[in-house]
């Protein structure tokens, strides 16, 4: 029972992390100080996908599954739980491009808002 619960916790954390990679830039619109945390998360996500690395959360999940007496799985978290479930596998390059556009677009809006606020403060001081 304990390792099954641990596996579930790891899965929830992994889904939350992936969601944060995709949506964290928009969260930074409301809380700009979270930008740097999102920049690190998005960078890690990019490195894992581009370099084909295994995420430590995937390794932890596989370990906890084995401890629970289950078999592991091949591939990564996205391969198992997202590709083919949320979208057909053939759309992976398109989805990756859309995620990149969402992240970079959210950062662009954040930068533009920051510049506008800075200009407004400078104008108010004059």
């Amino acid at each position: 029972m304990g390792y099954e619960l641990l596996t579930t916790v790891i899965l929830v954390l992994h889904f939350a992390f992936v969601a944060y990679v995709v949506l964290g830039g928009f969260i930074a619109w409301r809380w700009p100080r979270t930008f740097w945390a999102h920049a690190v998360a998005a960078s890690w996500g990019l490195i894992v996908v581009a370099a084909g690395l295994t995420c430590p959360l995937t390794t932890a999940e596989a370990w906890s599954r084995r401890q629970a007496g289950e078999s592991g799985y091949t591939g990564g978290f996205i391969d198992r739980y997202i590709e083919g479930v949320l979208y057909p596998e053939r759309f992976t390059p398109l989805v990756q491009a859309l995620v990149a556009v969402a992240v970079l677009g959210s950062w662009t809006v954040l930068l533009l808002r920051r510049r506008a606020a800075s200009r407004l403060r400078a104008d108010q001081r004059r």
Side-chain angles (χ1 to χ4, degrees):
M1 173 71 170
Y3 287 110
E4 288 111 1
L5 178 61
L6 179 60
T7 300
T8 301
V9 169
I10 293 168
L11 284 172
V12 168
L13 288 172
H14 216 157
F15 272 110
F17 181 80
V18 170
Y20 185 65
V21 166
V22 176
L23 302 172
F26 300 104
I27 292 170
W29 289 5
R30 175 66 177 94
W31 296 287
R33 292 179 187 214
T34 65
F35 169 78
W36 292 110
H38 182 252
V40 169
S43 297
W44 174 251
L46 176 64
I47 290 166
V48 167
V49 170
L53 299 178
T54 300
C55 178
L57 288 171
T58 302
T59 303
E61 179 197 348
W63 176 83
S64 67
R65 284 188 181 281
R66 285 192 304 276
Q67 297 305 309
E70 299 176 28
S71 62
Y73 59 87
T74 58
F77 175 83
I78 291 176
D79 301 331
R80 179 176 174 103
Y81 296 108
I82 298 178
E83 280 182 356
V85 177
L86 296 180
Y87 58 86
E89 189 176 337
R90 69 181 181 271
F91 292 128
T92 296
L94 174 63
V95 170
Q96 289 172 338
L98 291 173
V99 167
V101 167
V103 169
L104 295 174
S106 67
W107 289 358
T108 300
V109 170
L110 187 62
L111 176 65
L112 293 174
R113 285 181 171 189
R114 193 166 196 182
R115 284 185 179 173
S118 180
R119 275 190 232 117
L120 181 61
R121 283 191 302 273
D123 289 346
Q124 289 174 344
R125 279 186 238 138
R126 290 182 194 160

